[in-house]
């Protein structure tokens, strides 16, 4: 489905958009980026393959369910409410900037995969979002609010930062979550961002990779939390500014 020049495809309130195949929806006709505006119910079903959409995906109500396969969003957009990834399904962000509205939540046994895009929450210290199972392989998580990981969070590469210089948010591991740091990276924490381990949770730092730190970042382990250094990796303060392990 070829599109461009500022077009909008809108799934209206009360309607259902059921994506069962692996067809592409690229922005390839030039001009202002095409938008898919979901105001009804959007479900990815049937296919175990990968469907890639390059348009700006806007969901203001949270009626988004990924039930099978992989749904790739490369054109950015904005998500709100609570989305669901069921079974072994994946919602993937390989490119673009996807903004999460304050109050955004993620549930289900599937995962969110950040593999190159920027994942940002709306600016503001009061904005809180949460994810369940997430794999972070490359790209950037940038916000000034709080992002809480409630399930398995696997960090093999990418950067934690902030949308605004000097205004860092907090990415926290909740009481039912575990973060595993592994892979060749690069891993980076910068921009006054705080990576926080809550009581009863842990970060498992495996392998031999370096975590690049600086510019006001903090790793904070709260009472009852655990930063488990299992490999031979290093915290490399090479970005300038300050770096704190609290």
């Amino acid at each position: 489905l070829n599109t461009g020049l500022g077009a909008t495809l809108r799934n209206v309130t009360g309607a259902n958009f059921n994506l069962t195949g692996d067809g592409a929806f690229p922005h390839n006709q030039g001009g202002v980026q095409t938008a898919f505006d979901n105001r009804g119910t959007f479900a990815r079903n049937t296919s175990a393959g990968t469907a890639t959409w390059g348009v700006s995906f806007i969901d203001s109500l949270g009626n988004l369910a990924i039930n099978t396969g992989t749904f790739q969003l490369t054109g950015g957009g904005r998500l709100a409410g609570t989305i669901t990834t069921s079974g072994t399904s994946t919602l993937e962000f390989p490119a673009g900037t996807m903004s999460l509205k304050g109050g955004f939540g993620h549930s289900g046994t599937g995962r969110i995969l950040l593999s190159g895009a920027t994942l940002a929450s709306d600016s503001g210290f009061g904005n809180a979002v949460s994810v369940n199972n997430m794999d972070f392989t490359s790209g950037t998580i940038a916000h000034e609010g709080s992002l809480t990981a409630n399930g398995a969070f696997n960090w093999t590469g990418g950067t934690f930062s902030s949308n605004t210089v000097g205004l860092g948010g907090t990415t926290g591991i909740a009481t039912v979550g575990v973060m595993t740091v592994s892979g060749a990276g690069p891993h980076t924490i910068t921009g006054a961002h705080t990576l926080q381990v809550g009581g009863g949770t842990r970060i498992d730092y495996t392998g031999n990779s370096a975590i690049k730190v600086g510019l006001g970042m903090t790793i904070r382990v709260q009472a009852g939390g655990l930063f488990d250094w299992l490999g031979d990796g290093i915290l490399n303060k090479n970005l300038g500014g300050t770096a704190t392990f609290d």
Side-chain angles (χ1 to χ4, degrees):
L1 181 58
N2 300 310
T3 184
L5 300 174
T8 297
L9 176 60
R10 178 172 293 124
N11 187 35
V12 299
T13 303
N16 294 292
F17 194 106
N18 192 21
L19 179 64
T20 60
D22 297 329
F25 189 9
H27 172 77
N28 59 2
Q29 301 300 302
V32 176
Q33 188 176 24
T34 297
F36 180 85
D37 180 11
N38 184 46
R39 303 184 183 185
T41 299
F42 182 99
R44 161 73 166 157
N45 291 310
T46 307
S47 175
T50 299
T52 303
W53 284 24
V55 300
S56 177
F57 194 99
I58 302 168
D59 186 306
S60 57
L61 299 176
N63 295 321
L64 174 62
I66 312 302
N67 298 317
T68 62
T70 298
F71 185 39
Q72 290 183 332
L73 294 175
T74 64
R78 190 166 188 256
L79 298 178
T82 299
I83 67 169
T84 302
T85 54
S86 301
T88 58
S89 65
T90 298
L91 176 61
E92 182 178 1
F93 304 118
T97 297
M98 181 59 72
S99 179
L100 306 180
K101 181 176 172 59
F104 169 88
H106 166 230
S107 65
T109 57
R111 64 173 180 161
I112 290 176
L113 171 58
L114 180 57
S115 58
T118 294
L119 190 64
S121 66
D122 291 350
S123 294
F125 288 106
N127 288 324
V129 301
S130 65
V131 297
N132 199 24
N133 301 317
M134 183 169 179
D135 290 346
F136 184 15
T137 62
S138 66
T140 301
I141 292 177
H143 61 89
E144 288 83 52
S146 66
L147 184 151
T148 301
N150 294 314
F153 192 114
N154 299 307
W155 182 24
T156 58
T159 298
F160 289 98
S161 187
S162 60
N163 295 321
T164 305
V165 174
L167 298 177
T170 297
T171 297
I173 312 303
T175 54
V176 292
V178 175
M179 173 182 278
T180 301
V181 184
S182 63
H187 306 80
T188 303
I189 312 174
T190 185
H193 201 95
T194 296
L195 181 60
Q196 182 167 285
V197 187
T201 67
R202 71 180 193 272
I203 291 179
D204 292 340
Y205 184 14
T206 67
N208 303 316
S209 64
I211 300 178
K212 299 177 182 180
V213 297
L215 297 177
M217 60 68 62
T218 299
I219 296 176
R220 176 172 296 124
V221 182
Q222 295 182 311
L226 173 65
F227 191 103
D228 201 358
W229 207 307
L230 300 170
D232 296 322
I234 61 172
L235 291 178
N236 189 359
K237 183 179 175 293
N238 61 354
L239 302 176
T242 62
T244 302
F245 191 99
D246 181 11

